[in-house]
């Protein structure tokens, strides 16, 4: 049941990301693509709140269930690889300059998903989370 729910939530999240990207006037800049994806990972609106809470359950349950652990690991790894691909493309295209390690930048970017429980528990506001995302992406893309 949890696996089905996770797959459905992932599909819905992908559709929301695709809709947001297709609403842009042209092909998304890598910064825009990363911002859209990060905002979907966080509980910033009703749809992403439901997905975020499901992801929390999906990460905690596999700690005790080896079969679910492999499914969770594979899903998280695929998502991480997608983010790293965007970062590598941005580096190759000159949007991210300087001596950067794509794997480290990917991990730092995904660390922002750790804002989810802070949002869910009312420790920070959606505005604060959006500000953190924007500042991090501006730094990564050299827009300061």
């Amino acid at each position: 049941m949890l696996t089905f729910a996770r797959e459905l939530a992932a599909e819905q999240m992908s559709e929301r990301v695709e809709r947001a990207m297709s609403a842009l006037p042209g092909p998304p800049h890598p910064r825009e693509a990363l911002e859209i994806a990060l905002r979907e990972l966080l509980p910033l609106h009703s749809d992403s709140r439901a997905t975020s809470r499901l992801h929390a359950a999906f990460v905690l349950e596999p700690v005790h269930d080896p079969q679910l652990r492999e499914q969770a690991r594979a899903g998280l790894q695929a998502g991480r690889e997608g983010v790293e691909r965007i970062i590598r493309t941005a580096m190759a295209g000159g949007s991210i300059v300087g001596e950067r390690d794509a794997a480290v930048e990917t991990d730092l970017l995904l660390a922002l998903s750790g804002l989810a429980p802070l949002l869910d528990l009312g420790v920070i506001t959606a505005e604060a989370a959006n500000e953190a995302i924007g500042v991090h992406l501006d730094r990564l893309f050299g827009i300061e």
Side-chain angles (χ1 to χ4, degrees), residues 31 133-144:
R31 187 196 184 287
I133 291 168
V135 167
H136 183 79
L137 289 172
D138 285 349
R139 286 178 184 159
L140 179 62
F141 285 89
I143 308 167
E144 293 191 53

Short mmCIF file of all heavy atoms in Angstrom, two decimals, residues 31 133-144:
data_model
loop_
_atom_site.label_atom_id
_atom_site.label_comp_id
_atom_site.label_asym_id
_atom_site.label_seq_id
_atom_site.Cartn_x
_atom_site.Cartn_y
_atom_site.Cartn_z
N ARG A 31 18.44 27.05 -13.43
CA ARG A 31 18.06 27.59 -12.13
C ARG A 31 16.55 27.49 -11.92
O ARG A 31 16.08 27.13 -10.85
CB ARG A 31 18.50 29.06 -12.00
CG ARG A 31 18.27 29.60 -10.59
CD ARG A 31 18.33 31.12 -10.53
NE ARG A 31 18.21 31.63 -9.20
CZ ARG A 31 17.08 31.64 -8.49
NH1 ARG A 31 15.96 31.15 -9.02
NH2 ARG A 31 17.05 32.12 -7.26
N ILE A 133 15.71 28.95 -0.52
CA ILE A 133 15.90 28.35 -1.84
C ILE A 133 16.47 29.38 -2.81
O ILE A 133 17.45 29.12 -3.52
CB ILE A 133 14.56 27.78 -2.38
CG1 ILE A 133 14.15 26.55 -1.57
CG2 ILE A 133 14.68 27.43 -3.87
CD1 ILE A 133 12.73 26.10 -1.84
N GLY A 134 15.87 30.55 -2.83
CA GLY A 134 16.32 31.60 -3.76
C GLY A 134 17.75 32.03 -3.51
O GLY A 134 18.55 32.15 -4.45
N VAL A 135 18.10 32.22 -2.24
CA VAL A 135 19.46 32.65 -1.90
C VAL A 135 20.47 31.56 -2.29
O VAL A 135 21.51 31.84 -2.88
CB VAL A 135 19.58 33.01 -0.40
CG1 VAL A 135 21.03 33.14 0.03
CG2 VAL A 135 18.81 34.29 -0.11
N HIS A 136 20.14 30.31 -1.99
CA HIS A 136 21.07 29.23 -2.33
C HIS A 136 21.26 29.14 -3.85
O HIS A 136 22.40 29.03 -4.33
CB HIS A 136 20.60 27.89 -1.77
CG HIS A 136 21.57 26.80 -2.06
ND1 HIS A 136 22.71 26.63 -1.34
CD2 HIS A 136 21.60 25.86 -3.04
CE1 HIS A 136 23.42 25.62 -1.85
NE2 HIS A 136 22.75 25.13 -2.88
N LEU A 137 20.17 29.19 -4.59
CA LEU A 137 20.29 29.10 -6.05
C LEU A 137 21.02 30.31 -6.63
O LEU A 137 21.82 30.16 -7.56
CB LEU A 137 18.90 28.94 -6.69
CG LEU A 137 18.25 27.58 -6.45
CD1 LEU A 137 16.81 27.59 -6.94
CD2 LEU A 137 19.04 26.46 -7.12
N ASP A 138 20.76 31.49 -6.07
CA ASP A 138 21.49 32.68 -6.54
C ASP A 138 22.98 32.51 -6.32
O ASP A 138 23.79 32.85 -7.18
CB ASP A 138 21.00 33.94 -5.82
CG ASP A 138 19.63 34.41 -6.33
OD1 ASP A 138 19.16 33.89 -7.36
OD2 ASP A 138 19.06 35.31 -5.69
N ARG A 139 23.37 31.97 -5.17
CA ARG A 139 24.79 31.75 -4.90
C ARG A 139 25.36 30.71 -5.85
O ARG A 139 26.47 30.89 -6.38
CB ARG A 139 24.99 31.28 -3.45
CG ARG A 139 24.81 32.39 -2.44
CD ARG A 139 24.98 31.86 -1.04
NE ARG A 139 24.73 32.92 -0.07
CZ ARG A 139 24.42 32.70 1.19
NH1 ARG A 139 24.30 31.46 1.64
NH2 ARG A 139 24.20 33.71 2.00
N LEU A 140 24.62 29.64 -6.07
CA LEU A 140 25.10 28.58 -6.96
C LEU A 140 25.29 29.09 -8.38
O LEU A 140 26.28 28.77 -9.04
CB LEU A 140 24.11 27.40 -6.95
CG LEU A 140 24.43 26.21 -7.84
CD1 LEU A 140 25.75 25.56 -7.42
CD2 LEU A 140 23.30 25.19 -7.78
N PHE A 141 24.38 29.93 -8.83
CA PHE A 141 24.43 30.43 -10.20
C PHE A 141 25.14 31.78 -10.31
O PHE A 141 25.14 32.40 -11.37
CB PHE A 141 23.02 30.50 -10.80
CG PHE A 141 22.49 29.14 -11.18
CD1 PHE A 141 21.78 28.38 -10.26
CD2 PHE A 141 22.71 28.62 -12.43
CE1 PHE A 141 21.31 27.12 -10.60
CE2 PHE A 141 22.24 27.35 -12.78
CZ PHE A 141 21.54 26.61 -11.85
N GLY A 142 25.75 32.23 -9.22
CA GLY A 142 26.54 33.46 -9.26
C GLY A 142 25.72 34.72 -9.41
O GLY A 142 26.19 35.70 -9.99
N ILE A 143 24.49 34.71 -8.90
CA ILE A 143 23.61 35.88 -8.97
C ILE A 143 23.52 36.46 -7.56
O ILE A 143 22.63 36.12 -6.81
CB ILE A 143 22.20 35.49 -9.46
CG1 ILE A 143 22.28 34.71 -10.76
CG2 ILE A 143 21.32 36.72 -9.60
CD1 ILE A 143 21.00 34.03 -11.14
N GLU A 144 24.46 37.30 -7.22
CA GLU A 144 24.44 37.83 -5.84
C GLU A 144 24.24 39.27 -5.81
O GLU A 144 24.09 40.17 -6.23
CB GLU A 144 25.71 37.46 -5.11
CG GLU A 144 25.75 35.95 -4.91
CD GLU A 144 26.84 35.51 -3.98
OE1 GLU A 144 26.91 36.03 -2.86
OE2 GLU A 144 27.62 34.65 -4.38
#
